[in-house]
């Protein structure tokens, strides 16, 4: 044990490198997203995250938007606990048969105008879970999808770009696919 302690004093910690995106790029993107939300909605953007049966990879990237590096809440973009307060349903994972009704009820509880974003490859077509006995495939099998953000999982910067593309009503060049 003493040997490990002394080695840890000499050796630097093993951590991952920070994201490649510059702080200014993230800040500029988040400001544009908040400005677009205020222009389109008259207020900041409220997002309700819904896990429809995923492996939690997309959730980790989505929740990274709230960490100290991205901190999107400083720009007025926030995650809400109730669909009644949401503008966007951010759905991850393939829709399982057990989650179809809950997802539909969440959609119905969300006030208009509302948008559905399928986050990740599994939300588009079932991904690696497609063909399973408990999986219905993608989110579009249960709800009308307004935007798909590809990736397994998509990085936080791509999620921000996708939300901006959704609010501006155009596809971005970052691989964001409409419908």
């Amino acid at each position: 044990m003493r040997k490990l302690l002394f080695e840890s004093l000499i050796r630097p910690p093993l951590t991952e490198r920070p994201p490649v995106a510059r702080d200014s790029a993230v800040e500029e993107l988040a400001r544009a997203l908040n400005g677009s939300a205020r222009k389109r909605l008259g207020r900041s953007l409220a997002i309700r995250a819904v896990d429809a049966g995923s492996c939690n990879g997309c959730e980790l990237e989505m929740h990274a938007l709230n960490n100290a590096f991205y901190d999107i809440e400083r720009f007025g973009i926030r995650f809400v606990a109730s669909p009644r307060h949401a503008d966007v349903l951010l759905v991850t994972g393939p829709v399982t048969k057990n989650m179809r009704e809950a997802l539909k009820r969440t959609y119905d509880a969300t006030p208009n105008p509302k948008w559905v974003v399928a986050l990740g490859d599994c939300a588009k077509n079932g991904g690696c879970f497609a063909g399973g006995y408990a999986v219905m495939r993608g989110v579009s099998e249960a709800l009308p999808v307004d935007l798909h953000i590809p990736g397994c999982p998509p990085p936080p910067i791509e999620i921000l770009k996708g939300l901006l593309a959704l609010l501006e009503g155009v596809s971005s060049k970052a691989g964001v696919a409409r419908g």
Side-chain angles (χ1 to χ4, degrees):
M1 183 67 168
R2 189 183 326 183
K3 180 182 175 188
L4 289 174
L5 180 63
F6 287 129
E7 285 179 3
S8 68
L9 293 173
I10 298 169
R11 198 174 334 150
L14 298 174
T15 60
E16 294 181 9
R17 295 188 183 276
V20 181
R22 299 182 323 269
D23 287 337
S24 60
V26 172
E27 188 170 326
E28 181 181 332
L29 185 59
R31 283 190 200 283
L33 180 57
N34 189 32
S36 184
R38 289 192 184 277
K39 185 169 58 173
R40 185 118 185 226
L41 300 169
R43 57 185 160 69
S44 60
L45 186 67
I47 302 168
R48 172 67 174 128
V50 180
D51 180 352
S54 75
C55 69
N56 290 335
C58 292
E59 281 82 4
L60 290 172
E61 298 298 316
M62 179 178 42
H63 292 305
L65 291 171
N66 279 329
N67 71 17
F69 183 79
Y70 293 99
D71 190 21
I72 62 166
E73 194 131 343
R74 65 186 161 159
F75 302 107
I77 302 159
R78 66 190 194 287
F79 287 92
V80 295
S82 172
R84 298 190 191 284
H85 303 140
D87 303 310
V88 175
L89 290 179
L90 196 58
V91 185
T92 60
V95 178
T96 61
K97 291 179 181 175
N98 290 339
M99 277 298 293
R100 181 182 188 152
E101 182 64 28
L103 187 59
K104 178 75 172 118
R105 287 182 183 186
T106 302
Y107 179 79
D108 291 341
T110 307
N112 289 325
K114 58 186 164 191
W115 298 283
V116 176
V117 175
L119 181 63
D121 293 340
C122 294
K124 170 119 178 136
N125 57 17
C128 63
F129 302 106
Y133 68 92
V135 175
M136 294 180 36
R137 297 190 48 99
V139 177
S140 60
E141 296 284 322
L143 301 177
V145 174
D146 297 299
L147 182 78
H148 172 248
I149 302 174
C152 186
I157 195 88
E158 296 301 317
I159 298 171
L160 286 175
K161 287 178 183 177
L163 291 172
L164 181 61
L166 175 73
L167 288 175
E168 291 182 347
V170 296
S171 292
S172 75
K173 296 177 183 177
V176 176
R178 301 269 315 162

